[in-house]
C-alpha cells in the first residue's frame, strides 16, 4: 500500500474529527481506553512506519509528528496510545528478521495488530534506558524474563509489547541490554491496576510483572546487547516525535479554542468587544507565534534526524522540551482569554490543561532533555552523571 505523507495526515485529521473528538471528553472523564479511536487509527494508519516491503506505508519521523499533531488536537490520550504503537512498530522494524516481519510487521501493516512499549521500570525513574529486568536463556530456544515494568501505555489492550532487558546469564558481560517482543497472553504475565492520572486519563497505563516469563528466543530483537542502539537510534527519536506531535496538537487546539471564543464574542452590548482590545490581540498573537515556532522546531528535528544531520540530537531533545513549555503556556493563556467559561469543569480547556502538564513529566523529562542538548552541543558524553 502506498499513501503519501499529505494523504496520511489528512486521513488522521479526518479520523480525529469524526471519531476521536466526539469521544475525547468521555475518554477523559470515565476514564477509559479509547477503543473506537484506536481501532480506526490502527485500521487506517497502523502501518504508518512499517517498511513498504512488509506491507506498510514506509513513513518516518515527520509522519509520526504530523499525525500526532492531528490526533493530539482531538484527544491527547488517544494520540499517545497510537504514538506508542508507532514507536513499538519502528523498534520491531529496525532490525527485523523473517519471523518479526511475518509475525508482527505484516499484521501491523494490515491493521490487525497493536503493539506498544514496556520500557520504564519502578526503580529506574526517568532513566528508562537502564533496565533491571533480567533476560536469561532457559534452554530449548527459550528466553526467561524476570522483572517489572511500569506505566505501560495500552496495557492489556495491545497484541504485543516491546520489552527492554539486561542479560543476567553466567559469564555475561555486565550492562548487556537487549530488546525483545512479548506477545499478549504469554503465560505468567501479571498486570497491575490501572493508574489513575491527573491528565492523560485514557491511556490505560499499568504496571507489568514478569516473574520468570518464558518466550521464544526468536522474539529477541537484533542481537543481544543491542538495546542501547535501539534506544538512541530508534526509541528516543520516535518516542520524542510521538510526544512532541501530540502536545503540539494540544497547544494548537488550545490556541484555536481561544480564537474561536473571541470571534464568537465580537458582539457586545456595551463597550469594545474583547477581540478589539489591544491587550487581547497581543496575547493571541504571542500564542500563535509560540505554537508556530514550536511546530517549525519539531518538523526540523524530524527532518534532521531522518537525514542523520549534526543537529539531530539537540533538535530532538529540544523539540520535546519546547513543546512541553508551549503546550502548558498556551493552554494557560487560552484560559485567561476565555475567562470563566474556560474554567468550567467540562470545558475542553480543563482537559487540555491537565493533559498538557504531563508533557513535562513523561520521560525523558524536560530537565534531562535540556541537559542532553547542552551536552550534545559541548560534545560531552550523553549519559555521564
Amino acid at each position: 500500500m502506498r499513501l503519501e505523507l499529505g494523504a496520511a495526515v489528512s486521513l488522521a485529521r479526518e479520523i480525529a474529527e469524526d471519531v476521536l473528538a466526539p469521544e475525547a471528553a468521555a475518554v477523559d472523564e470515565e476514564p477509559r481506553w479509547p477503543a473506537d479511536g484506536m481501532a480506526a487509527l490502527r485500521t487506517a494508519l497502523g502501518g504508518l512506519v512499517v517498511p513498504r516491503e512488509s506491507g506498510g506505508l514506509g513513513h518516518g519521523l515527520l509522519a509520526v509528528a504530523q499525525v500526532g499533531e492531528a490526533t493530539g488536537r482531538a484527544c491527547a490520550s488517544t494520540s499517545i496510545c497510537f504514538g506508542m504503537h508507532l514507536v513499538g512498530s519502528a523498534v520491531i522494524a529496525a532490525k527485523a528478521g523473517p519471523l518479526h516481519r511475518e509475525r508482527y510487521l505484516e499484521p501491523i501493516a494490515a491493521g490487525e495488530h497493536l503493539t506498544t512499549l514496556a520500557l520504564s521500570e519502578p526503580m529506574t525513574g526517568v532513566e528508562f534506558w537502564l533496565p533491571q529486568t533480567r533476560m536469561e536463556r532457559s534452554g530449548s530456544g527459550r528466553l526467561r524474563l524476570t522483572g517489572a515494568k511500569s506505566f505501560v501505555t495500552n496495557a492489556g489492550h495491545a497484541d504485543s509489547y516491546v520489552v527492554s532487558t539486561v542479560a543476567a546469564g553466567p559469564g555475561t558481560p555486565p550492562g548487556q541490554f537487549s530488546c525483545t517482543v512479548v506477545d499478549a497472553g504469554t503465560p505468567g504475565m501479571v498486570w497491575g491496576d490501572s493508574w489513575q492520572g491527573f491528565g492523560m486519563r485514557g491511556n490505560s497505563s499499568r504496571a507489568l510483572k514478569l516473574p520468570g516469563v518464558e518466550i521464544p528466543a526468536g522474539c529477541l530483537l537484533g542481537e543481544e546487547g543491542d538495546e542501547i542502539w535501539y534506544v538512541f537510534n530508534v526509541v528516543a527519536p520516535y518516542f520524542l516525535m510521538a510526544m512532541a506531535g501530540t502536545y503540539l496538537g494540544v497547544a494548537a487546539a488550545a490556541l484555536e479554542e481561544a480564537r474561536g471564543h473571541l470571534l464568537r464574542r465580537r458582539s457586545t452590548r456595551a463597550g469594545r468587544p474583547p477581540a478589539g482590545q489591544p491587550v487581547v490581540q497581543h496575547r493571541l498573537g504571542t500564542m500563535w507565534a509560540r505554537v508556530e515556532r514550536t511546530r517549525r522546531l519539531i518538523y526540523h528535528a524530524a527532518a534532521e534526524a531522518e537525514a542523520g544531520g549534526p543537529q539531530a540530537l539537540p533538535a530532538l531533545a529540544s523539540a520535546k522540551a519546547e513543546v512541553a513549555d508551549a503546550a502548558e503556556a498556551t493552554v494557560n493563556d487560552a484560559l485567561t482569554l476565555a475567562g470563566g467559561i474556560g474554567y468550567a469543569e467540562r470545558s475542553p480547556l480543563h482537559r487540555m490543561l491537565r493533559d498538557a502538564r504531563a508533557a513535562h513529566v513523561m520521560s525523558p523529562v524536560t530537565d534531562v532533555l535540556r541537559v542532553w542538548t547542552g551536552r550534545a552541543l559541548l560534545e560531552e558524553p550523553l549519559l555521564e552523571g
Side-chain angles (χ1 to χ4, degrees), residues 119-312:
L119 305 185
S120 297
E121 297 189 0
M123 300 305 294
T124 57
V126 300
E127 297 178 320
F128 66 83
W129 51 90
L130 296 174
Q132 301 301 305
T133 296
R134 294 181 299 154
M135 181 188 75
E136 302 168 283
R137 299 219 173 242
S138 62
S140 304
R142 307 285 289 176
L143 299 172
R144 181 183 295 114
L145 308 180
T146 306
K149 297 295 178 178
S150 57
F151 301 116
V152 180
T153 300
N154 296 319
H157 300 279
D159 299 298
S160 63
Y161 299 86
V162 174
V163 176
S164 55
T165 71
V166 59
T172 302
Q176 186 165 308
F177 306 115
S178 300
C179 280
T180 67
V181 188
V182 178
D183 292 332
T186 297
M189 295 174 69
V190 180
W191 289 106
D193 294 334
S194 293
W195 177 76
Q196 302 299 322
F198 175 71
M200 305 299 294
R201 289 163 53 80
N203 66 0
S204 187
S205 182
R206 298 167 68 183
L208 170 63
K209 291 183 180 179
L210 300 164
V213 170
E214 293 199 359
I215 60 174
C219 291
L220 181 70
L221 295 173
E223 302 294 329
E224 290 189 49
D226 277 352
E227 195 239 345
I228 291 296
W229 180 90
Y230 277 108
V231 165
F232 289 102
N233 289 278
V234 188
V235 174
Y238 277 89
F239 192 76
L240 291 169
M241 285 297 97
M243 288 191 290
T246 290
Y247 290 109
L248 175 60
V250 173
L255 172 63
E256 191 55 36
E257 188 74 18
R259 178 174 175 269
H261 172 78
L262 294 170
L263 289 174
R264 290 190 295 271
R265 292 195 61 196
R266 277 190 181 279
S267 60
T268 182
R269 293 184 179 180
R272 181 184 294 179
Q277 297 175 9
V279 67
V280 170
Q281 296 163 355
H282 179 276
R283 187 181 290 269
L284 192 68
T286 300
M287 292 165 65
W288 183 91
R290 180 194 300 130
V291 172
E292 187 60 25
R293 68 173 175 260
T294 304
R295 178 180 288 116
R296 294 302 146 196
L297 172 60
I298 293 169
Y299 290 1
H300 165 70
E304 186 76 357
E306 287 181 341
Q311 292 185 337

Side-chain angles (χ1 to χ4, degrees), residues 1 3 6-24 27 34-48 57 66-76 78-79 82 85-86 111:
M1 180 180 179
L3 192 66
V9 175
S10 294
L11 184 54
R13 288 176 182 150
E14 182 180 324
I15 294 171
E17 292 172 6
D18 295 346
V19 185
L20 273 58
E23 295 196 350
V27 164
D36 292 343
M38 287 298 292
L41 289 168
R42 186 196 65 227
T43 300
L45 295 168
L48 185 71
L57 299 180
Q66 291 189 343
V67 167
E69 180 182 356
T71 54
R73 281 176 177 260
C75 178
T78 311
S79 187
F82 188 62
H85 163 77
L86 296 179

